[in-house]
Amino acid sequence: MIGTDTAESPRNEVKVQVWTVRELVDALNGIGEKGIFIPSFQRGLVWQKTKRAELIQSVRESLPIGSLLMYYAGIRDNKPTYELVDGLQRSTS
């Protein structure tokens, strides 16, 4: 067996978590019970104001906005931390 997989958290396990908007905002701002960091391979913020406003309106109307893809990066500063792999524009709007 290659790697350091444990019975508690095998590497190929996929977990789906539902976060509130508040939890997401707090994690992105470094406050709250979870942390998110944005890796260097992300392209940066490119959505214009109108696109961000449309997304916010979709959230207000409880419309689906797609999911975010995050990789569990371990415990940092005594809290679970995730690397944002996909969803930068949506999560920062």
Side-chain angles (χ1 to χ4, degrees):
M1 184 163 133
I2 297 174
T4 58
D5 298 342
T6 67
E8 293 177 6
S9 60
R11 294 189 79 138
N12 61 354
E13 182 178 350
V14 175
K15 290 186 179 180
V16 175
Q17 295 183 6
V18 177
W19 292 25
T20 65
V21 173
R22 173 57 46 206
E23 287 175 314
L24 178 62
V25 170
D26 286 352
L28 285 166
N29 288 321
I31 58 176
E33 298 178 7
K34 302 172 187 172
I36 295 175
F37 72 92
I38 299 169
S40 61
F41 63 76
Q42 286 287 356
R43 64 180 171 163
L45 303 177
V46 296
W47 277 11
Q48 299 298 319
K49 186 176 181 178
T50 55
K51 184 76 171 172
R52 293 191 308 266
E54 289 171 0
L55 178 83
I56 292 168
Q57 186 60 35
S58 294
V59 170
R60 287 182 177 153
E61 295 175 11
S62 298
L63 298 172
I65 60 166
S67 59
L68 304 177
L69 180 60
M70 293 189 275
Y71 174 77
Y72 178 70
I75 301 294
R76 293 185 183 181
D77 299 325
N78 294 320
K79 59 185 168 184
T81 304
Y82 301 84
E83 180 176 338
L84 183 62
V85 177
D86 181 57
L88 178 63
Q89 307 308 312
R90 285 170 281 145
S91 65
T92 56
S93 290

